[in-house]
Amino acid sequence: MSAALAAILLLQAAAPARAPATTTDLPAWSKAPTVAEANAVYQPDAMKANLAGAATVECTVDATGQLADCAVVGESPPGSGFGAAALALSPKFQMPLKSPSGASMVGRTVRFPIRWRNAAKRQLPPVIVNGDTPASGSVVFDCRVKEDHGFDNCVMVDARPPSTNLFAPAGEAALRQKAPANAAPGSRMMVVIQMKGN
């Protein structure tokens, strides 16, 4: 083994591992990007196609509350460029140095999603789905109209109750709906699915 390769392997082994992401005792952002700043990194092809998307970023909070060593840990749709957009936007966030309990945030790992979508300007009448689930509730989606007036690229915007397990069956029901004939392909519509449990 060459000395250079041995040194690289030693450095990799000595590099500190990132702490697990914090999921509790998180403060509200002290600084967050504006809508204009988020739109400035919205991928042009995605914006033109009215494609909604998201990326989940994991970062370390530095001594000033800025985010450091950010990495994309998830992107939807995959390969759409939303991960790169989220990394470009991450310097616009800042975290307070103390959590709500008073613990230091410095050095903690935070994981958070960043989402992009153009808001729907129209809404379908609510769709009632009977007996597909043991629970009842409603889920609201913002969906894109396809050429055949079906829907794709649906993004959940609300769920009642909030911690519902209705997301998957409601999403399937949303994708079975049709937009009105006068809905422009590529436009976005709100689709409300009301699940009635059996």
Side-chain angles (χ1 to χ4, degrees):
M1 180 183 311
S2 75
L5 180 57
I8 289 170
L9 292 174
L10 182 60
L11 285 173
Q12 286 176 341
R18 188 192 301 263
T22 298
T23 57
T24 59
D25 195 27
L26 291 174
W29 294 108
S30 56
K31 185 177 96 176
T34 64
V35 172
E37 289 170 330
N39 284 340
V41 296
Y42 198 146
Q43 296 298 294
D45 290 343
M47 185 179 273
K48 183 178 177 184
N50 215 354
L51 182 69
T56 300
V57 179
E58 189 173 274
C59 307
T60 302
V61 181
D62 75 10
T64 66
Q66 296 293 126
L67 302 181
D69 302 323
C70 294
V72 175
V73 294
E75 179 185 52
S76 176
S80 57
F82 288 108
L87 284 178
L89 200 59
S90 61
K92 304 289 185 183
F93 288 91
Q94 188 170 12
M95 181 78 58
L97 297 179
K98 297 287 184 186
S99 70
S101 71
S104 175
M105 288 299 299
V106 176
R108 289 174 73 177
T109 302
V110 293
R111 179 182 285 196
F112 59 98
I114 304 174
R115 297 178 180 91
W116 286 266
R117 72 178 172 91
N118 293 317
K121 296 185 174 40
R122 293 178 66 181
Q123 179 176 320
L124 279 183
V127 175
I128 298 172
V129 178
N130 291 307
D132 282 0
T133 64
S136 294
S138 66
V139 184
V140 181
F141 297 94
D142 180 336
C143 299
R144 185 174 61 173
V145 178
K146 298 191 310 185
E147 290 289 334
D148 66 358
H149 287 85
F151 292 106
D152 70 359
N153 191 229
C154 293
V155 178
M156 184 184 73
V157 294
D158 192 27
R160 305 282 167 105
S163 58
T164 183
N165 60 354
L166 302 175
F167 177 73
E172 292 168 6
L175 292 174
R176 290 192 299 265
Q177 305 310 307
K178 290 286 189 181
N182 64 354
S187 64
R188 299 194 72 85
M189 294 190 76
M190 299 297 274
V191 180
V192 179
I193 305 295
Q194 294 178 341
M195 306 293 290
K196 301 293 185 187
N198 47 17

